[in-house]
Every structure is written in structure tokens, then in C-alpha cells.
Amino acid sequence: MFRKLIINTAEHETRVALLEDGTIVELFIHRQDEADSAGNIYKGRVQRVLPGMQAAFVDIGLSQAAFIYVDDVVSDAVEEVDASWLGEDVEEAEDADEETPSDGKEGSGCKEPRPNIEDLLTEGQEILVHVAKSPIGTKGARVTCHVSLPGRFLVLMPNSRHIGVSRKIEDETERSRLKGLIQALRKNRFGYIVRTAAEGIQADVLASEMEFLERLWGNIKKKCQNSSAPALLHKELNVSLRAVRDLLTQEADKVVIDSRNGYEQVMAFLDACAPSLKRSVELYEGPEPIFDAFHLEGDISRALKKKVWLKSGGYIVIEQTEALCAIDVNTGRYVGKYNLEETIFKTNLEAVKEIAYQVRLRDIGGIIVIDFIDMEKKSHQEKVFAALQEAVHRDRSKTHILPISELGLVQMTRKRIRKSLTSALCEPCFYCDGEGQLISRKTICYDVYRQILREARDMPGHRLMLRVNPEIAERLHGEENHLMVSLESRLAKQIIIYPNPQFHVQQFDVYEITGKASLAAAEEDPGAL
């Protein structure tokens, strides 16, 4: 399977798509005015301790207070490995040292009871925390004291002594070699996760990265000592460099980027950490937008719809709530060829692949309930369940699937780190009072931006007229005015925005103004053209 990373970089938005054999399977979006705090390290101040929930709120300087559970507070009694925010599937951690029995009696096997949150944190206390989950909806960021600093091949865990190896490295000899190398090379008894990209890497390369990560941790500690809470101590890489670091060679064979500045940033980053990969990076300079050139916009639009049609004529319906997603499978127009049971079985099998694809592309997390069409044969149920397990195998997010229940339902969980695609690109519908979803006004403004870029090539004149819904016109004149300013500067054309109250909020069109007559007609009646 050939995988590509397609990076679309603009002044105000960056989109990164992971393609498998030409099909988009993951999409990452970052906008300039939106905070992406996952991976950042802060010095925070405890605002409130909640004994009833064994958790606390921490002020880290964001608009919403962060949330920390008792298990995420460093103590002698609690240590864990969690690399899910990096997309790594890590084995159960093993301590490099022999365990000391907690009660001092050899071989007792007793563990100290978990301490209470009120014994670990007090209001006003300053603590160093790492963001494991960015804010989602009304929920603040999820933070932990179990700091992890990712590199190309390793993840440093300064508050742990555990060594874990990615499960994607399947060869037991290689796993043992890597674990032995880390045990022999480490000097400060820090914990490490060996990433998938470390497979086959020699000791000197790993030693160099260990030295870099430990030096970085030392700088963060010094900054922490000299800062007052709340303060940002370490910022994670931007979405483009993070995708290159985490996906190139592990998940992708090639990177195509459409920005000269972004291309140079990626090349400089690889020059410092992986020079051999520079030949995998390509600068796209084609005439049409890069996502259009790779036919991605249609798949993204399809991933925002509730109903997804299958090739056979069946379809699935995806309904998302804040913490649960329900997926319903229907035969639709598919009538089969032989009998009802065979028709149902084939529809369910086809739906399995589409469900796994849509869950990954939409980045749906939390609890997922799939309502397959009822199958009478036990063998058919087992085959559909096995097909689902196989279909989610390539998903980097951790999933857990339960067998088909007596009601024909499959329950599964998927680790949620960031907003789903629908949450990132849509907002509650102001036409239906929040009962449904539509493209957000911000997203429409960015769609307008891209559409003008597409059509301006075929319009030689110096003035363009953009007709939009009044809500969008107001936004383009206000908080999104920078988009129009950027376009006028880039295209050397004047863009005149006319609100049309008859337009749906998602409707817009672009015309070239060829003379005074057409401009006058537009001023008198914007719907006349």
C-alpha cells in the first residue's frame, strides 16, 4: 500500500491529508485563530480540587480550565504509559528495575492503595502538566503530570522508569534488541517509549536522540523554575511538522506540500532529524489547488453527511452525539440475487469497510454502537465481526470491539484525542435550532476563499463580484476580512461583496465585473445577474 501526505498550507489554515492508495483516510485541520494545545507543556495552578470525582481543575492559561484525574498525578504509587495522543500503540510497560515490595516485605506482592486527589493537590498549588487532549466542545483540556516528549524514534517520559515498545514492531528479536539498547544507553533512569520508526535503527542514532530529548527536558525544568503559573513551557510542533515527524515512513512514503515556505520548513526539520527522508518531500506547483488535484474535496464533503451510500445500493446513517455515535446499516436499493439472508449478509459485509473508513476519516471517538441488519446465521455474524476487526486494524487510534449482541448490535470504543471532523468543520444549525448540522460560516468563508482562487485564473478583469448570504457578507467584512484582503493582494483584483438575502447561507457565486453597466445593474438588483 502506497501512502502519501498531502499538505495544503495557506495564511490562515493548514490541512494535512493522509492518503492510502489515493484515498483520503485521515484529515488534520488547524486554523490560525484556533488553539491546538495537545502535546504542549504548561506550568499550571490548581483552581479547585473535587474529592467526589477524584479530579481537579487546573488553570493553564486557556479560556477553559483544564481537567486532571487522580491517576494522572505523578506519585510513587501511580505510573503509566500513554502514547495515544501520538497515535502509538504501546505494549504494557515493563519496569527496567526490579520492583520493591511496597510494604518492605520481600515477595508480599501487596500494593499501596491509590492516594486520594486531596492528598496530592491543594488549591493554589503550581504543577507542571502535559496536555493529553485538546479542549473539545464544552470540555476543557485533559492534562496529566505524566510528561512525554516525542522525538523521531523515542518518546521521553521523565517522570517514569518504564520502557515500552510499539506493538507495530512485531519481530520479537527486534523488540528485545531495542529494549536492551535503551536500558544500556539511558543515564538518568528516565522512561522511554520506542516508536515504530525506530525499527532497525542503530545505537548511535538512538543515543543522539536520547541526549537531545533529555537536554530539552532540562530546559523545560529551568523555564518552569523561572516562570509563574499559568505559563506555556513547551509548544508542540505545528500540524505540518507533527505529521511529518509522526507519519512519514511509519504511515506515509511521500509528502506533497503546496507552500514554498512550508516546504522549506519541512526540509529544514528533516535536515536536522532525518536527512535521508528529504528525497520523499515534493513541492507542488500545479495550477489548481492541491486538494482539487488529488480529488479530496468531494470525500471531505461526503464525510460531513449523515447518510453514506454503499456501492451495492445499501447505505449507512451516522448520528453523532457528544460522547456516543450510532451507526445504522440499511439495505436501501439493494435487493440481492438469491435470498434475503444472503442480501443482508452482503450488505453488512460491505458496510463494515465503509464504517471503518468513515470512523477513521471523521475521527469519531468515544462509544460507537453499530446496528447491523439482523442475521439469523451464527456463521454470518462471526464473519461480519471478524471483518470489522480486520477493517479497523490500520486505525492508529486505539479501539476495542465487543462481539455482536443478541440484539444485533456491535459496541466499540475508540480513543478520542481531538475534535471530530464534524465538530471541526460544522456548527449547530441556526435554521433548525440545533437539531441538525450545516457547514459553519467560518468554513464557508474559507470555501469562498478557495473558490475565488480557482475561478480567478479564468477572469482576466481587475474586478470581481462575490454574491453571498448577508450572514456571510457580514463575516467577510468583519472577522474574516483578512481573507478578502489576502485575496486582493494575491490576485491584484478588487473584490466587491454583495449580500443577497435570497441566498441560502451556504450559497455563493463569483462573477467578473466587465463594465459600469454590469456594476450598476448589480447595485440596483444583486439578483439580476
Side-chain angles (χ1 to χ4, degrees):
M1 182 177 294
F2 188 77
R3 298 180 176 93
K4 283 183 181 179
L5 275 176
I6 308 301
I7 303 178
N8 169 219
T9 302
E11 295 177 53
H12 326 285
E13 178 188 58
T14 300
R15 300 185 296 171
V16 179
L18 174 63
L19 275 58
E20 292 181 351
D21 290 336
T23 301
I24 182 173
V25 294
E26 292 186 35
L27 179 65
F28 310 92
I29 299 174
H30 177 67
R31 288 167 179 166
Q32 199 173 52
D33 58 347
E34 295 176 347
D36 183 11
S37 56
N40 290 355
I41 297 175
Y42 294 88
K43 184 176 184 179
R45 179 178 288 107
V46 179
Q47 281 187 332
R48 187 181 175 194
V49 178
L50 308 172
M53 296 184 66
Q54 284 300 291
F57 287 111
V58 183
D59 178 15
I60 59 175
L62 302 182
S63 57
Q64 296 170 299
F67 199 72
I68 188 168
Y69 288 102
V70 64
D71 287 346
D72 291 317
V73 182
V74 170
S75 71
D76 293 335
V78 182
E79 285 188 337
E80 67 175 33
V81 172
D82 184 4
S84 57
W85 69 278
L86 289 166
E88 289 287 358
D89 187 13
V90 181
E91 68 173 352
E92 186 71 23
E94 297 180 9
D95 202 325
D97 303 316
E98 294 183 4
E99 289 190 14
T100 302
S102 57
D103 62 356
K105 295 181 181 179
E106 197 170 326
S108 68
C110 296
K111 293 184 178 180
E112 293 182 6
R114 185 176 68 179
N116 293 320
I117 190 74
E118 60 267 33
D119 298 328
L120 298 172
L121 298 177
T122 58
E123 291 185 12
Q125 179 181 346
E126 295 185 346
I127 58 173
L128 187 148
V129 293
H130 171 265
V131 179
K133 285 185 182 179
S134 294
I136 299 176
T138 59
K139 296 181 180 179
R142 168 80 180 271
V143 298
T144 175
C145 290
H146 302 286
V147 175
S148 54
L149 289 173
R152 174 100 184 116
F153 306 110
L154 303 170
V155 180
L156 169 67
M157 300 178 296
N159 297 319
S160 172
R161 291 189 297 177
H162 293 308
I163 295 176
V165 180
S166 171
R167 282 196 180 97
K168 293 181 181 179
I169 300 177
E170 298 178 351
D171 185 84
E172 287 300 325
T173 302
E174 178 64 7
R175 296 174 67 86
S176 298
R177 181 188 77 88
L178 290 168
K179 189 171 292 186
L181 278 178
I182 301 304
Q183 290 174 349
L185 291 171
R186 67 176 182 172
K187 301 174 182 178
N188 294 311
R189 314 304 293 168
F190 292 151
Y192 282 93
I193 294 171
V194 182
R195 306 191 70 177
T196 310
E199 187 170 11
I201 299 301
Q202 298 306 308
D204 58 334
V205 178
L206 297 179
S208 176
E209 183 156 292
M210 290 173 75
E211 182 181 347
F212 167 77
L213 292 174
E214 291 181 14
R215 187 166 61 249
L216 176 60
W217 172 239
N219 293 335
I220 291 172
K221 288 197 297 181
K222 288 180 182 177
K223 191 173 181 180
C224 182
Q225 293 171 357
N226 300 324
S227 304
S228 58
L232 174 62
L233 305 178
H234 171 73
K235 185 171 179 61
E236 176 60 324
L237 297 174
N238 65 43
V239 64
S240 299
L241 297 182
R242 191 163 65 242
V244 170
R245 181 194 66 195
D246 296 340
L247 299 179
L248 188 57
T249 71
Q250 296 178 49
E251 300 288 339
D253 306 291
K254 189 175 183 180
V255 176
V256 185
I257 185 168
D258 64 353
S259 163
R260 169 69 64 177
N261 184 50
Y263 172 80
E264 291 174 353
Q265 283 186 0
V266 169
M267 295 299 279
F269 175 76
L270 291 176
D271 195 44
C273 68
S276 61
L277 297 178
K278 292 170 66 176
R279 63 178 180 272
S280 302
V281 182
E282 175 186 324
L283 175 63
Y284 174 81
E285 297 179 296
E288 60 181 330
I290 188 170
F291 270 42
D292 287 354
F294 285 90
H295 311 292
L296 305 182
E297 298 289 7
D299 287 334
I300 295 172
S301 297
R302 185 167 171 256
L304 299 176
K305 299 183 182 299
K306 288 184 179 180
K307 181 182 286 189
V308 179
W309 288 96
L310 307 176
K311 291 181 179 178
S312 66
Y315 65 89
I316 61 175
V317 177
I318 303 173
E319 292 278 358
Q320 289 183 248
T321 65
E322 186 173 354
L324 182 142
C325 176
I327 302 177
D328 186 33
V329 182
N330 298 277
T331 54
R333 298 189 293 261
Y334 181 52
V335 295
K337 293 182 179 179
Y338 303 106
N339 55 60
L340 177 61
E341 179 65 21
E342 194 69 21
T343 301
I344 290 172
F345 175 56
K346 288 185 176 180
T347 303
N348 283 338
L349 272 183
E350 186 181 11
V352 159
K353 295 181 180 179
E354 189 63 37
I355 288 169
Y357 171 71
Q358 291 294 332
V359 164
R360 186 179 177 191
L361 176 58
R362 298 175 188 227
D363 206 3
I364 299 172
I367 300 170
I368 302 170
V369 178
I370 306 171
D371 183 11
F372 285 108
I373 307 170
D374 289 341
M375 295 171 285
E376 294 182 0
K377 293 184 179 179
K378 188 70 175 178
S379 60
H380 284 177
Q381 294 181 14
E382 292 172 351
K383 287 179 181 178
V384 168
F385 178 69
L388 181 60
Q389 287 183 308
E390 176 63 26
V392 301
H393 181 69
R394 289 197 298 270
D395 194 338
R396 295 185 304 124
S397 290
K398 186 177 181 181
T399 58
H400 178 66
I401 309 175
L402 296 180
I404 298 178
S405 70
E406 293 181 358
L407 298 176
L409 303 176
V410 169
Q411 302 172 68
M412 64 180 285
T413 60
R414 185 175 184 271
K415 188 79 172 181
R416 178 166 62 174
I417 305 299
R418 55 186 172 270
K419 292 180 182 179
S420 68
L421 188 63
T422 302
S423 299
L425 297 182
C426 298
E427 63 183 12
C429 177
F430 49 84
Y431 286 155
C432 60
D433 199 23
E435 293 297 324
Q437 295 279 340
L438 78 164
I439 304 297
S440 72
R441 283 167 289 179
K442 174 179 284 191
T443 300
I444 294 170
C445 289
Y446 281 89
D447 286 343
V448 168
Y449 175 88
R450 286 190 286 269
Q451 187 66 25
I452 292 175
L453 281 180
R454 292 187 190 102
E455 297 190 10
R457 299 194 308 269
D458 301 321
M459 297 179 180
H462 297 292
R463 289 187 298 176
L464 304 178
M465 184 177 72
L466 170 65
R467 295 193 303 168
V468 292
N469 178 276
E471 293 273 352
I472 303 303
E474 182 180 353
R475 197 174 186 104
L476 289 173
H477 279 302
E479 56 191 288
E480 302 297 345
N481 182 56
H482 57 280
L483 294 175
M484 296 296 102
V485 172
S486 173
L487 278 172
E488 289 183 334
S489 173
R490 182 171 178 177
L491 300 174
K493 298 176 187 290
Q494 180 187 9
I495 301 174
I496 301 172
I497 302 173
Y498 279 102
N500 189 333
Q502 297 178 355
F503 274 28
H504 184 277
V505 69
Q506 297 179 22
Q507 182 182 357
F508 60 87
D509 52 31
V510 183
Y511 291 93
E512 182 181 7
I513 298 175
T514 56
K516 293 182 179 180
S518 61
L519 180 58
E523 289 175 338
E524 292 176 5
D525 180 12
L529 291 180

